[in-house]
Amino acid sequence: MTSSTKNVKLGTCNVFFDGKDLGLTKGGVEVEVSTSTHEVMVDQHGNTPVGELINGRTVMANVPLAETTLDNLLTIMPGAMLVTDGEFATGSVTFSTSAPVTGDKIAIHGTVFTFKTTPKTDTELPIPASVEEAAQILSDAINGTVLPVYASYAGAVVTITAETRGVADNIAIVATFATGANVAVVGMENGADVTGARVRVGTGVNINLIDVAKELKLRPIGTLGEDDFIISKAACPGALNFTYGIDQERIYQANFKGYVDDNGDLFSIGDADVG
């Protein structure tokens, strides 16, 4: 391989957990991959290894969250419970019958996502081979913008949720498709303003972290997914590091641990859409 200074990378990243942007960080996000081994020894060679076997591998992502919101606390603290009168607005886009074609559009919060044979911008999406792929492409595109919403997908359905609670996000989602049979849209609705809220945190005893594990994605700023670090099943036991000082930020110390997924993978680096 020819050496290139372009291969030397610096910079911060955005952090997404289950598709939701966790916001600003303080002190840098750190990833640690550890591998344990067993040295094979026999009497005839004393303490000199004759082989070495990998026993296992672990991955940790330490994410110091600077946005100490109640919603982030709920995200990182298993067993936490929100008490509030506010609600997030939610909507959905369901692809059906056939995949989108060139020129099909979906508008959310004034941003228009257009399916194109040859995409050239962040809001131009490649033509998918199936309705399920269309849902994944749209969800990733929404999460790659600065829109005040985040998206997740299951099958051919994209669920869109406002980042904050309130009626201001009760807005329409507009779809312009070659045939109306290709998509069904439910606009953002049921958002309610918060007049009071608090989070109750219990001991968390007997919570199995694998039951709350979700995808953790680290995306370097300035990239479009080609350099993502993804732990497909990650969970955080929850920790806080509060200093009530004049020159100290309060931090949610989110230490995510990875677990092997159904494919036997622990983590991936690079473009998740490849392979």
Side-chain angles (χ1 to χ4, degrees):
M1 183 182 72
T2 303
S3 296
S4 172
T5 56
K6 293 181 179 179
N7 294 327
V8 181
K9 302 173 182 178
L10 299 174
T12 58
C13 69
N14 291 321
V15 182
F16 300 90
F17 186 59
D18 194 28
K20 180 182 178 181
D21 189 348
L22 298 182
L24 302 174
T25 58
K26 172 66 176 180
V29 176
E30 297 182 354
V31 174
E32 179 181 355
V33 178
S34 300
T35 300
S36 62
T37 64
H38 173 74
E39 293 182 337
V40 179
M41 299 183 186
V42 294
D43 293 342
Q44 287 75 8
H45 294 292
N47 292 329
T48 301
V50 297
E52 190 165 1
L53 303 176
I54 292 177
N55 283 338
R57 186 169 284 134
T58 61
V59 60
M60 296 285 299
N62 301 319
V63 184
L65 298 177
E67 296 191 40
T68 50
T69 63
L70 295 183
D71 290 324
N72 272 348
L73 178 58
L74 285 170
T75 298
I76 70 164
M77 193 71 68
M81 179 181 298
L82 177 69
V83 181
T84 182
D85 54 357
E87 294 291 343
F88 294 106
T90 60
S92 65
V93 176
T94 301
F95 296 95
S96 60
T97 307
S98 59
V101 298
T102 297
D104 285 348
K105 300 177 181 179
I106 296 174
I108 304 169
H109 264 292
T111 295
V112 180
F113 296 93
T114 306
F115 288 92
K116 293 274 192 177
T117 302
T118 306
K120 296 181 179 180
T121 68
D122 296 351
T123 57
E124 292 183 351
L125 314 181
I127 304 300
S130 65
V131 291
E132 291 81 9
E133 186 180 359
Q136 179 182 356
I137 289 172
L138 177 61
S139 178
D140 289 346
I142 292 171
N143 291 333
T145 69
V146 294
L147 291 175
V149 299
Y150 66 95
S152 60
Y153 67 94
V157 181
V158 179
T159 300
I160 303 165
T161 306
E163 288 186 344
T164 58
R165 295 174 173 81
V167 299
D169 289 306
N170 290 334
I171 60 174
I173 298 174
V174 180
T176 306
F177 271 54
T179 167
N182 283 350
V183 65
V185 172
V186 177
M188 304 287 286
E189 57 187 23
N190 298 321
D193 291 337
V194 175
T195 62
R198 67 187 178 103
V199 171
R200 298 167 52 191
V201 179
T203 64
V205 173
N206 289 329
I207 292 177
N208 189 341
L209 292 179
I210 197 66
D211 292 336
V212 296
K214 299 178 177 64
E215 181 189 82
L216 180 72
K217 179 189 298 181
L218 310 180
R219 174 166 292 178
I221 290 176
T223 65
L224 300 176
E226 70 276 9
D227 204 21
D228 285 355
F229 189 103
I230 299 175
I231 305 173
S232 58
K233 296 186 77 171
C236 174
L240 308 180
N241 183 14
F242 276 11
T243 299
Y244 289 91
I246 193 171
D247 60 350
Q248 296 289 326
E249 294 82 4
R250 304 178 197 172
I251 299 296
Y252 287 166
Q253 192 61 51
N255 299 320
F256 291 92
K257 182 177 182 179
Y259 302 93
V260 65
D261 66 14
D262 294 337
N263 296 320
D265 294 331
L266 186 60
F267 64 90
S268 68
I269 304 176
D271 193 339
D273 294 332
V274 177

